[in-house]
Amino acid sequence: MEELKDRLEDHLVRFTDMLRKQGVKAGTSELQEALLALRYIDPLCKTSFKSALKATLVKKPSELEVFEKTFNRYFVPATEKEKQLEKGWEKEANYREKKKMAEEELKFKEQQLNLKEEEKMVYASLASRDREKIKSFIRDSEQGKKVDASFKPLIESLVKSTLRYRKERVSHVERRPEPVTGDPGWDWMLSSPEPGNNSSASRLLNSDFKDIAEKDIPRVVELSRKISMKLAKILSRRYKLTYKKKKLDMRKILRENISYGGYLVKLKYGHKKKKKLRLLVLGDVSGSMDRYSSFVMTFIYGLSWAVKEVECFVFAEGTSRMTSCFKKGLSFEEVMNRVMQKRVEWGKGTNLAQALERICLDYPGWLNSRTLVIVVSDTRTTHLEDSLQKLQFIKSRVKDVLWLNPLPASQWEEFSSVEKFQHSALMYPCSCLADLEEVFRYNMKI
Amino acid sequence: MIPENVSDLQRCLKETGYICGEETVLTVFLALQLQKPLLIEGAPGVGKTEMGKALSRALNMELIRLQCYEGLDENKALYEWNYQKQLISIQLSRELQKEHLSENDLFTEEYLMERPLLKAIRADQKVVLLIDEVDKCDHEFEAFLFEVLSDYQVSIPEMGTTEARNIPVVILTSNSERELSDALRRRCIYLYLDYPSPQREAEIIKQRHPQVGEELAESVSRAVEVLRRDEKIQKRPSIAETLDWVNALVELNRNELSPTLVENTLNLVLKSHRDQQVFHQETGAHKLLEQV
């Protein structure tokens, strides 16, 4: 019995650790609580056991899915668990093999090309005919006169742009799951979707905008509507004034205390009238950025229900005003369609400087402490120094500048522009609806 | 008193008219056994507040309710001195030329106005303290609250520290309009309440309206479930609205749903013009009844 108890405790510690590594905030006290809770239930009854752990280890709705998934994979018979782990390891081996193949095939003058892991996997996902084309391009380049190893960066850059172009056309690029448990087998196992839960709202909430399939777009737009309307509802609520950090209002105090014979019994506080917020949105729509900007703008359309003044612009090589797409009474689908239709007018390159310049020249009235500027871009732009200067100028005049960057935070250090823009804006990784909700909740104090 | 096992608690709750799943009961049972506050989150109308009320009836304890809102402070939640009474006493002592009142005479039980939190802590019997819509109060009050909830004691500067005579059963509810702090969450046992399954909802209907036939209860609960599944509907029907709908059907002496009846009584479950429009455009009464 003692042995069984020890084993159960060991498993519980390991299980809690796994939850923790996936972002569930289960500390030692929660673990102790879970162990204590097991005293009051029959630990051999799986339903009770699961409910007891859920009640004590999970503290937020967002953690429920992680818990369910991890529990359903962890607390299974040993043989099944081994089978699942084996599958995970097979996937890992397959992934490594593909990566190795890409590394071996993409060599210039016997030296490996310096490519990112994702680029290698794009290459591995291509049809053999397309792979052959890239290989023959490298081979032909090697044959050129006076071509030596110093040409490698140029070849790398050309291969990278080919892969970037191909990536848009490949249906699926394998991605290694984020290392959370330290065991790749477990990581693959936990990253696989729950059976029968393929189109759950939470999956769509956390899906990168660029990976959302066409058929799922209406559902994502609907989810976006729900979230933004919920935030708008909270924003528009007229809260009762609190008594904190306010100045005493002597006039009001005297009036209030007349009924107490002039004794100052009740204190009254003055308050500053809150200025209404305005949103100025600048969305980058060059290349693959258009999807992110379209979703962000549709989301902001929902907020415009509470934030009366919103101005939206999209920029690539030129800038267009999009506020006209936000006509009141339109459905979210209509707004999304209008924004998406505008895509054809947008160029491929990015010039943030000219967009900022246009704001400064044509909308100087918007550059004041009531305005919150939101930039949606991956920071890759021409005229970088000019853009930085203009952004600094705008930042000094407005309430704040939020920068929604669709690049994952782990990749930020690869781009010097990210660091530079971070000096003038509060930058957040934002590639899915869940990120968007978090950023707005946090920054608008919702 | 607190039931000794989960099935007893489930029976007690059922007797009060609160029907819920085993997982929900087990979580409540653990909160009672571990003497921890129970934080209930979920969509509006799933029975969060009702759980507090049902628990007080099931455990035969007094219910003390604190409704949270922005601006709620210690004076309204914990205690306040009865200034008016203190003033009158001072005036009277002057007028009647009684002995001079000292400060200690003015800060006694006589002038203390207990608010819900203090009332729950000082209660002679164990009580159920329902802190409703805790997400509506501001951060400062939330911080104050988790101090009270972790030690079950409060300090009144003029009177000293008061410890709970009986640790109350604390239920906190939240609609997740604002993210609660991790510090508050970690002090609680957590329960997420979802809408009930059609079978359970039919059970609730039969419990509340015993005269309703099984067929009607089931078709209403399935129809409501179809409406709740429709992602385009903004305000999903709550359990209370389902019961209102059934109530109306009972009043109309109907024992089955028909397209006309659905059309005529739809405003009892869909309470915005937009949702009604969406329903008419996307589903319609005929299609709804086909799915039931």
Side-chain angles (χ1 to χ4, degrees):
Chain A
M1 194 64 194
E2 262 319 292
E3 198 194 336
L4 187 74
K5 198 182 153 208
D6 285 348
R7 276 179 60 195
L8 184 67
E9 281 177 9
D10 282 348
H11 276 298
L12 212 51
V13 170
R14 187 133 193 249
F15 175 69
T16 312
D17 187 45
M18 274 184 152
L19 290 179
R20 233 176 265 156
K21 282 174 176 163
Q22 292 175 84
V24 175
K25 288 179 181 168
T28 317
S29 63
E30 279 78 16
L31 179 61
Q32 279 175 335
E33 221 165 68
L35 285 165
L36 207 58
L38 295 182
R39 285 190 199 170
Y40 298 99
I41 57 140
D42 173 12
L44 297 176
C45 168
K46 196 174 173 183
T47 325
S48 306
F49 180 69
K50 188 177 175 182
S51 304
L53 294 193
K54 198 194 275 184
T56 46
L57 297 175
V58 174
K59 304 285 177 185
K60 283 180 188 176
S62 56
E63 293 172 354
L64 283 168
E65 200 179 338
V66 176
F67 175 87
E68 287 285 341
K69 201 175 183 183
T70 315
F71 185 93
N72 293 343
R73 282 163 170 76
Y74 190 90
F75 291 104
V76 287
T79 48
E80 200 181 318
K81 200 192 287 184
E82 266 170 34
K83 219 160 81 184
Q84 284 185 27
L85 271 174
E86 242 170 61
K87 258 191 206 168
W89 272 105
E90 254 173 50
K91 281 185 185 170
E92 175 67 15
N94 189 25
Y95 183 89
R96 283 184 191 176
E97 206 175 293
K98 282 184 178 172
K99 195 177 141 197
K100 199 177 161 197
M101 184 259 286
E103 282 166 355
E104 276 170 7
E105 290 184 3
L106 296 174
K107 279 183 180 171
F108 179 75
K109 298 271 177 192
E110 297 302 312
Q111 282 181 30
Q112 242 181 55
L113 294 184
N114 188 15
L115 300 175
K116 283 187 223 153
E117 197 156 307
E118 193 194 3
E119 288 162 342
K120 288 175 193 169
M121 292 319 287
V122 172
Y123 175 79
S125 315
L126 295 177
S128 56
R129 197 186 49 190
D130 295 329
R131 282 207 304 270
E132 202 48 52
K133 272 186 194 169
I134 298 176
K135 274 197 287 182
S136 70
F137 160 73
I138 300 174
R139 268 198 311 270
D140 292 348
S141 308
E142 282 174 330
Q143 305 304 319
K145 283 179 188 171
K146 294 179 186 171
V147 173
D148 54 23
S150 65
F151 278 72
K152 196 179 143 224
L154 178 69
I155 301 297
E156 263 168 15
S157 156
L158 289 167
V159 170
K160 277 183 179 189
S161 20
T162 310
L163 291 173
R164 209 174 301 139
Y165 171 78
R166 295 276 176 197
K167 192 181 146 193
E168 311 278 317
R169 282 141 190 91
V170 172
S171 59
H172 174 70
V173 178
E174 201 157 0
R175 278 195 198 143
R176 182 187 255 157
E178 289 288 316
V180 284
T181 61
D183 180 336
W186 268 107
D187 290 342
W188 280 99
M189 199 162 107
L190 291 171
S191 71
S192 59
E194 280 263 77
N197 194 20
N198 285 338
S199 57
S200 71
S202 96
R203 182 183 65 84
L204 292 177
L205 269 176
N206 293 292
S207 291
D208 194 309
F209 290 134
K210 74 173 182 328
D211 297 332
I212 292 170
E214 287 291 326
K215 70 172 173 50
D216 283 334
I217 288 181
R219 276 200 77 194
V220 178
V221 171
E222 189 52 34
L223 277 172
S224 166
R225 182 189 65 75
K226 276 191 176 172
I227 297 169
S228 63
M229 293 302 274
K230 190 177 169 189
L231 295 186
K233 214 187 278 178
I234 302 168
L235 266 178
S236 65
R237 179 168 290 156
R238 288 183 187 176
Y239 286 114
K240 190 175 158 57
L241 288 169
T242 62
Y243 291 152
K244 59 190 185 204
K245 295 173 194 162
K246 303 276 160 54
K247 281 186 178 173
L248 290 173
D249 185 330
M250 282 314 289
R251 191 185 162 90
K252 281 185 190 167
I253 293 173
L254 289 174
R255 187 172 295 166
E256 183 70 23
N257 289 290
I258 289 170
S259 55
Y260 301 123
Y263 287 97
L264 304 186
V265 175
K266 279 193 177 169
L267 299 180
K268 286 281 159 185
Y269 298 82
H271 65 275
K272 273 187 187 173
K273 198 178 173 187
K274 267 193 178 176
K275 285 178 184 169
K276 283 184 182 164
L277 189 71
R278 301 194 294 191
L279 295 181
L280 195 149
V281 188
L282 279 167
D284 181 353
V285 285
S286 57
S288 59
M289 278 302 303
D290 61 347
R291 259 217 168 174
Y292 295 103
S293 294
S294 306
F295 276 107
V296 173
M297 287 191 180
T298 313
F299 185 85
I300 284 172
Y301 173 66
L303 288 184
S304 69
W305 188 67
V307 183
K308 296 283 178 222
E309 289 178 82
V310 180
E311 274 289 353
C312 273
F313 298 88
V314 289
F315 66 94
E317 283 158 350
T319 307
S320 344
R321 185 170 177 261
M322 297 291 291
T323 318
S324 57
C325 290
F326 283 19
K327 229 169 102 184
K328 289 271 177 259
L330 288 177
S331 71
F332 270 63
E333 291 81 358
E334 283 169 314
V335 172
M336 185 74 182
N337 287 340
R338 280 174 169 224
V339 176
M340 296 286 258
Q341 273 164 18
K342 283 257 181 184
R343 280 192 302 186
V344 282
E345 300 167 19
W346 303 332
K348 288 277 177 192
T350 314
N351 186 351
L352 175 62
Q354 53 79 28
L356 297 175
E357 175 83 24
R358 183 167 165 198
I359 301 295
C360 296
L361 290 177
D362 297 350
Y363 297 89
W366 275 72
L367 303 183
N368 60 35
S369 59
R370 278 176 59 198
T371 307
L372 180 67
V373 177
I374 298 166
V375 183
V376 188
S377 172
D378 58 5
T379 74
R380 282 178 276 192
T381 175
T382 56
H383 306 83
L384 181 63
E385 289 307 320
D386 201 10
S387 307
L388 282 166
Q389 270 180 18
K390 292 202 165 70
L391 190 67
Q392 192 68 50
F393 171 78
I394 289 176
K395 156 104 174 161
S396 66
R397 276 161 174 71
V398 298
K399 183 181 167 73
D400 224 328
V401 180
L402 299 187
W403 192 298
L404 310 183
N405 191 339
L407 291 173
S410 56
Q411 287 180 22
W412 285 7
E413 58 187 31
E414 290 171 27
F415 301 95
S416 61
S417 55
V418 172
E419 199 204 331
K420 287 177 179 166
F421 279 120
Q422 274 179 305
H423 294 301
S424 317
L426 293 168
M427 198 176 285
Y428 297 93
C430 182
S431 58
C432 60
L433 266 182
D435 289 346
L436 209 48
E437 182 182 5
E438 203 182 315
V439 169
F440 278 93
R441 266 190 189 272
Y442 182 73
N443 284 288
M444 296 176 95
K445 302 280 178 264
I446 296 174
Chain B
M1 281 302 98
I2 290 169
E4 282 178 5
N5 55 50
V6 182
S7 47
D8 278 356
L9 180 62
Q10 188 156 27
R11 187 181 41 77
C12 291
L13 284 171
K14 199 174 177 179
E15 277 168 14
T16 66
Y18 194 90
I19 295 167
C20 54
E22 206 176 308
E23 190 185 315
T24 306
V25 184
L26 192 127
T27 310
V28 177
F29 177 74
L30 286 176
L32 294 175
Q33 293 297 338
L34 298 172
Q35 299 201 331
K36 290 264 202 172
L38 175 68
L39 171 62
I40 311 178
E41 283 190 307
V46 290
K48 301 184 292 290
T49 307
E50 196 53 38
M51 168 63 90
K53 293 180 187 170
L55 207 57
S56 89
R57 291 195 299 268
L59 304 177
N60 202 14
M61 290 177 188
E62 187 193 349
L63 175 75
I64 297 175
R65 181 173 175 169
L66 173 66
Q67 180 67 44
C68 296
Y69 53 86
E70 177 93 2
L72 177 68
D73 57 16
E74 292 167 42
N75 286 343
K76 287 166 197 140
L78 193 60
Y79 73 94
E80 199 171 10
W81 291 107
N82 192 340
Y83 298 119
Q84 288 92 333
K85 201 171 173 183
Q86 284 172 329
L87 273 174
I88 291 169
S89 296
I90 296 168
Q91 296 278 20
L92 277 174
S93 76
R94 269 193 211 154
E95 298 283 327
L96 302 171
Q97 295 183 336
K98 273 190 185 171
E99 225 177 277
H100 184 66
L101 276 174
S102 73
E103 198 181 315
N104 286 344
D105 298 327
L106 288 171
F107 293 101
T108 58
E109 291 279 340
E110 197 189 339
Y111 302 100
L112 186 71
M113 292 199 290
E114 283 180 344
R115 302 294 189 211
L117 288 180
L118 187 63
K119 205 173 162 193
I121 282 177
R122 287 165 40 119
D124 291 325
Q125 305 280 320
K126 210 173 171 72
V127 296
V128 174
L129 172 64
L130 172 64
I131 303 175
D132 212 6
E133 302 193 25
V134 69
D135 53 325
K136 300 274 195 310
C137 70
D138 43 33
H139 296 272
E140 288 80 358
F141 184 75
E142 193 185 310
F144 158 76
L145 201 59
F146 64 68
E147 286 306 324
V148 175
L149 295 180
S150 57
D151 300 332
Y152 292 107
Q153 65 173 38
V154 286
S155 289
I156 302 172
E158 299 85 356
M159 291 175 77
T161 305
T162 308
E163 269 186 43
R165 292 175 193 158
N166 294 291
I167 292 181
V169 174
V170 183
I171 310 280
L172 297 112
T173 72
S174 161
N175 284 326
S176 310
E177 283 199 352
R178 175 174 70 76
E179 192 66 20
L180 299 175
S181 69
D182 287 343
L184 180 69
R185 286 179 184 278
R186 59 172 287 271
R187 281 168 170 80
C188 303
I189 296 288
Y190 182 75
L191 172 65
Y192 184 83
L193 273 186
D194 210 344
Y195 289 106
S197 63
Q199 294 79 8
R200 184 143 296 134
E201 197 155 21
E203 236 182 289
I204 297 170
I205 293 170
K206 279 184 273 176
Q207 168 92 12
R208 296 290 173 100
H209 299 282
Q211 72 276 36
V212 172
E214 196 144 320
E215 203 181 318
L216 181 64
E218 277 170 18
S219 50
V220 166
S221 56
R222 277 201 297 268
V224 171
E225 204 235 348
V226 172
L227 294 176
R228 281 184 195 140
R229 261 204 328 251
D230 189 342
E231 287 186 349
K232 292 198 169 162
I233 285 178
Q234 253 175 31
K235 159 79 184 72
R236 295 186 194 176
S238 66
I239 301 173
E241 281 153 347
T242 311
L243 292 171
D244 284 346
W245 195 17
V246 175
N247 209 6
L249 299 176
V250 170
E251 291 297 320
L252 293 168
N253 278 327
R254 301 301 179 97
N255 47 22
E256 63 176 350
L257 286 177
S258 68
T260 327
L261 191 61
V262 171
E263 294 281 354
N264 292 340
T265 53
L266 192 72
N267 52 350
L268 289 161
V269 273
L270 295 181
K271 294 194 172 163
S272 81
H273 181 55
R274 186 200 164 274
D275 284 347
Q276 288 176 6
Q277 267 183 327
V278 167
F279 173 77
H280 288 303
Q281 283 163 9
E282 308 274 327
T283 319
H286 283 279
K287 218 169 149 188
L288 176 75
L289 292 178
E290 276 169 25
Q291 294 177 62
V292 165

